[in-house]
Amino acid sequence: MPEEETLEEGTLTPLQPEIQDPLLREILEENDLQADPSRNPLEQPAPLPDPTDEVDCVVIGTGAGGAPLLARLAQAGLRVVALEAGPRRDPTKDYATDEKAQNFLFWNDERLSAGHNPVAFGKNNSGTGVGGSTLHYTAYTPRAHRGDLTLHTDFGQGVDWPFQIDELAPYYEEIEHFLGISGPTPYPWDPTRRKGYPLAPLPLNGAAQLMERACGKLGIRTSPAANAALSARYYQEGIGWREACTNRGFCQAGCNRGAKASMDVTFLPLAESYGAEIRADAYVTEIERDASGRITGVMYEQHGRTVRQRCRNLFLCAGAVETPRLLMLNELALNSGQVGKHFMAHPGMQVWGTFPEDIRPYKGIPGGLISEDTHRPKDADFAGGYLLQSIGVMPVTFATQMVRQRKLWGQPLRDYMRNYNHIAGINILGDCLPHASNFMELSDEKDARGLPKPRLHFTAQENEQRMNRHAEKLMRQIWQEAGATDIWAFERYAHVIGTARMGRSGDDAVVDPDGKAFDVPNLYICDNSVFPSALSVNPALTIMALSLRTADKFLLQRKAAG
């Protein structure tokens, strides 16, 4: 007879029955770990690195700018460490089909906005966590056009990039095939590409189908958009097979399937497979230099500790807000006077309509259809151009825009939101010219760490205003042709660009064409802060292409130096 535990009077030591249900057992174990984080191995602080240990490269930021070059440097055999301000998460467990639950994906530290068109931050354009903003981007990945890099040559406004599109083309192709981009082959606005997209386009959602039919009647060419979400299973080096997109439409709430090509399921696993080290929850505060001005290491805060990591080279890939902020806080690369200057944001005008059809705008990838017939409109009264795309939208996001634009709340807002499943939208993504009145500065107001908060000034100039008017008129025509009622427009500005631009001279640029700082011999910058102009397409693919190009240029220089 097995031994039994005898309960003595006045004691509370009952037998713990074994829980048979595996799901219940898992839930109870997770609850125990949340109640006592010290038992969770994922919450334990990493061992402090040897303060005398020097690595070849430190990379600050693990998004579209940092992740590809981290992988490239690791593949070349260099000792590389990436520092990410946010945590590492498990998409299969941590991502929900719920907007409010996913706010932790955004960079939620307060950023101050100023100007006549103050830019919204958080989910609009920045992210935190291993993978950066790609954790919540919509994975829209069109290539830049040749003319996007030559605005000054073509229009006498803005500035040209310091190299031609041919420098980026091979990197575009490499990234498209590494990530598994779904898209049309041939691409209507660039039919001469050497290789087509590796996967077929994703299915069109309700808004895309409406836009496709209406544009066809108006003589506007359309095509399924290039998107970094898999339309079929795809083998990913460093991680294995990734599963196809299920078209749930909540891409901005994080992909819990791994179908969206965020950096945490693509370049970062590849980097780690070659020995790169990624340190999460590592918020960089100080960049150290020696007497000659060379960077010798960085200081960062992690789990309540201050940590030093020495390095021979530093790659700053923290985005167009945190990158100039770190430069200003550490008085680095300031000789050109361009750090923080010429801040740009893409015009992203949206036009919404109500339809008798059942649209269900939460279904399918948000940006299913594209037209680039407006890249250089014949009747334009502005420099540059824009693309058109259909848009899906999550319900809370849409309600928020209703409140901001149409000033509805209470019962009128609830009444309107009953039409949510019959709503469809189109928006633009347009070029933005650099302007002296748009810039970032450090404010006197301090954040929770005691550091100055960034303040960004943005006012849409005449060129952006003309572009918005042109686009709104055209999008209203498309929705009228599609049979929409209650058509209304929402002016917005997406992405943050510029603030540490590249150029040929340190007189008017922060970094050279290879991403190397003019003022600091072992500092490289690689993110959307180095863009001389905003481009007329979404920035993610170009940021990744620049990342690989910067890594390759660095490796060539390193090899030449012996």
Side-chain angles (χ1 to χ4, degrees):
M1 182 176 181
E3 294 183 2
E4 295 182 356
E5 183 174 345
T6 302
L7 295 182
E8 297 180 4
E9 187 177 356
T11 65
L12 294 173
T13 55
L15 289 169
Q16 293 291 328
E18 183 179 356
I19 298 170
Q20 300 298 325
D21 188 322
L23 178 58
L24 178 59
R25 188 163 57 241
E26 182 180 347
I27 292 172
L28 290 173
E29 289 173 355
E30 288 182 0
N31 288 343
D32 288 343
L33 291 177
Q34 290 175 2
D36 183 8
S38 65
R39 294 179 51 203
N40 188 349
L42 295 178
E43 294 293 333
Q44 303 310 304
L48 283 170
D50 181 349
T52 65
D53 183 43
E54 185 180 51
V55 298
D56 292 311
C57 304
V58 163
V59 178
I60 300 176
T62 57
L69 69 82
L70 182 72
R72 192 74 116 214
L73 299 176
Q75 287 175 306
L78 274 62
R79 285 191 63 204
V80 287
V81 169
L83 302 176
E84 168 57 51
R88 184 191 290 264
R89 297 186 178 92
D90 181 349
T92 62
K93 296 181 179 179
D94 297 336
Y95 293 169
T97 305
D98 185 294
E99 292 174 80
K100 303 299 287 184
Q102 299 308 98
N103 281 341
F104 60 74
L105 291 174
F106 313 135
W107 189 286
N108 292 312
D109 290 4
E110 187 179 31
R111 291 165 170 175
L112 307 179
S113 289
H116 293 301
N117 304 94
V119 175
F121 293 105
K123 64 182 178 182
N124 183 41
N125 46 36
S126 54
T128 184
V130 175
S133 298
T134 67
L135 298 176
H136 67 83
Y137 79 148
T138 56
Y140 219 67
T141 49
R143 296 186 184 188
H145 288 262
R146 180 174 298 277
D148 287 338
L149 276 60
T150 57
L151 276 181
H152 189 268
T153 296
D154 296 345
F155 295 96
Q157 299 186 57
V159 293
D160 290 347
W161 286 48
F163 50 77
Q164 298 293 317
I165 197 72
D166 307 294
E167 292 268 337
L168 296 177
Y171 294 110
Y172 283 151
E173 183 179 291
E174 178 183 350
I175 293 163
E176 288 163 354
H177 285 262
F178 176 71
L179 299 183
I181 302 291
S182 302
T185 299
Y187 189 70
W189 297 276
D190 189 7
T192 61
R193 292 181 186 177
R194 195 176 68 89
K195 293 176 71 173
Y197 290 110
L199 293 177
L202 287 151
L204 299 179
N205 61 10
Q209 293 176 38
L210 286 170
M211 177 180 164
E212 182 181 43
R213 291 197 295 268
C215 285
K217 294 176 182 178
L218 294 172
I220 301 169
R221 288 181 300 169
T222 61
S223 169
N227 195 280
L230 303 177
S231 61
R233 293 184 81 220
Y234 200 76
Y235 185 78
Q236 185 73 64
E237 184 182 354
I239 198 170
W241 286 96
R242 290 168 50 217
E243 298 300 323
C245 174
T246 57
N247 297 292
R248 70 190 179 100
F250 277 65
C251 304
Q252 289 175 300
C255 182
N256 58 18
R257 189 171 172 83
K260 184 178 77 171
S262 49
M263 298 300 96
D264 60 322
V265 296
T266 54
F267 278 108
L268 293 178
L270 178 65
E272 289 184 307
S273 72
Y274 281 91
E277 182 184 353
I278 299 172
R279 298 177 191 166
D281 298 304
Y283 187 92
V284 176
T285 57
E286 186 177 347
I287 299 171
E288 299 182 322
R289 288 170 286 172
D290 61 19
S292 70
R294 291 184 65 86
I295 291 171
T296 58
V298 299
M299 302 286 288
Y300 61 93
E301 302 293 326
Q302 185 185 51
H303 306 303
R305 307 171 304 182
T306 300
V307 186
R308 171 183 282 109
Q309 176 59 62
R310 300 181 68 230
C311 63
R312 298 182 185 89
N313 300 280
L314 178 63
F315 290 81
L316 189 48
C317 312
V321 177
E322 294 305 310
T323 284
R325 187 186 186 200
L326 273 170
L327 295 175
M328 291 177 182
L329 287 172
N330 289 275
E331 299 181 348
L332 273 174
L334 303 181
N335 287 350
S336 67
Q338 290 298 316
V339 171
K341 298 297 191 292
H342 297 114
F343 164 58
M344 295 171 283
H346 281 129
M349 174 71 76
Q350 298 177 344
V351 171
W352 297 94
T354 304
F355 294 85
E357 293 94 332
D358 196 23
I359 307 300
R360 299 195 178 271
Y362 58 87
K363 285 189 173 183
I365 58 167
L369 195 77
I370 190 173
S371 176
E372 295 196 71
D373 276 5
T374 50
H375 178 251
R376 292 291 185 267
K378 293 180 180 178
D379 60 344
D381 59 351
F382 53 85
Y386 60 90
L387 61 79
L388 291 167
Q389 67 180 89
S390 62
I391 44 174
V393 65
M394 297 179 288
V396 176
T397 299
F398 183 68
T400 302
Q401 293 183 182
M402 281 295 303
V403 171
R404 290 176 59 191
Q405 181 63 33
R406 305 189 75 176
K407 307 299 186 287
L408 295 180
W409 50 80
Q411 190 60 47
L413 176 61
R414 289 192 290 271
D415 291 343
Y416 185 89
M417 286 303 294
R418 289 193 178 97
N419 294 321
Y420 168 71
N421 282 326
H422 295 269
I423 296 294
I426 316 175
N427 81 326
I428 69 165
L429 202 290
D431 220 325
C432 178
L433 297 180
H435 197 275
S437 67
N438 296 329
F439 63 94
M440 194 204 92
E441 63 182 352
L442 298 181
S443 72
D444 294 331
E445 190 174 327
K446 302 297 176 62
D447 64 14
R449 298 180 178 87
L451 300 173
K453 294 178 181 178
R455 181 189 292 114
L456 289 101
H457 299 254
F458 184 76
T459 297
Q461 303 300 313
E462 183 61 29
N463 199 70
E464 289 76 56
Q465 294 173 29
R466 290 180 177 181
M467 183 181 293
N468 277 332
R469 289 193 292 268
H470 184 279
E472 181 182 349
K473 179 181 178 182
L474 179 59
M475 289 188 286
R476 285 180 179 273
Q477 289 175 349
I478 293 170
W479 266 178
Q480 287 166 359
E481 184 65 43
T485 58
D486 192 18
I487 300 172
W488 57 280
F490 178 67
E491 183 178 349
R492 61 185 286 270
Y493 293 89
H495 309 124
V496 286
I497 306 165
T499 69
R501 69 183 182 187
M502 70 169 78
R504 298 191 179 280
S505 167
D507 293 336
D508 60 1
V510 180
V511 297
D512 70 12
D514 299 338
K516 186 176 181 180
F518 285 108
D519 299 2
V520 187
N522 58 342
L523 170 66
Y524 295 79
I525 301 176
C526 186
D527 52 36
N528 48 350
S529 71
V530 304
F531 283 26
S533 64
L535 308 179
S536 66
V537 297
N538 305 62
L541 186 70
T542 299
I543 297 171
M544 295 180 216
L546 279 176
S547 183
L548 292 182
R549 181 179 179 275
T550 299
D552 284 351
K553 295 292 185 179
F554 168 78
L555 292 170
L556 282 173
Q557 292 170 6
R558 191 171 185 271
K559 182 178 180 181

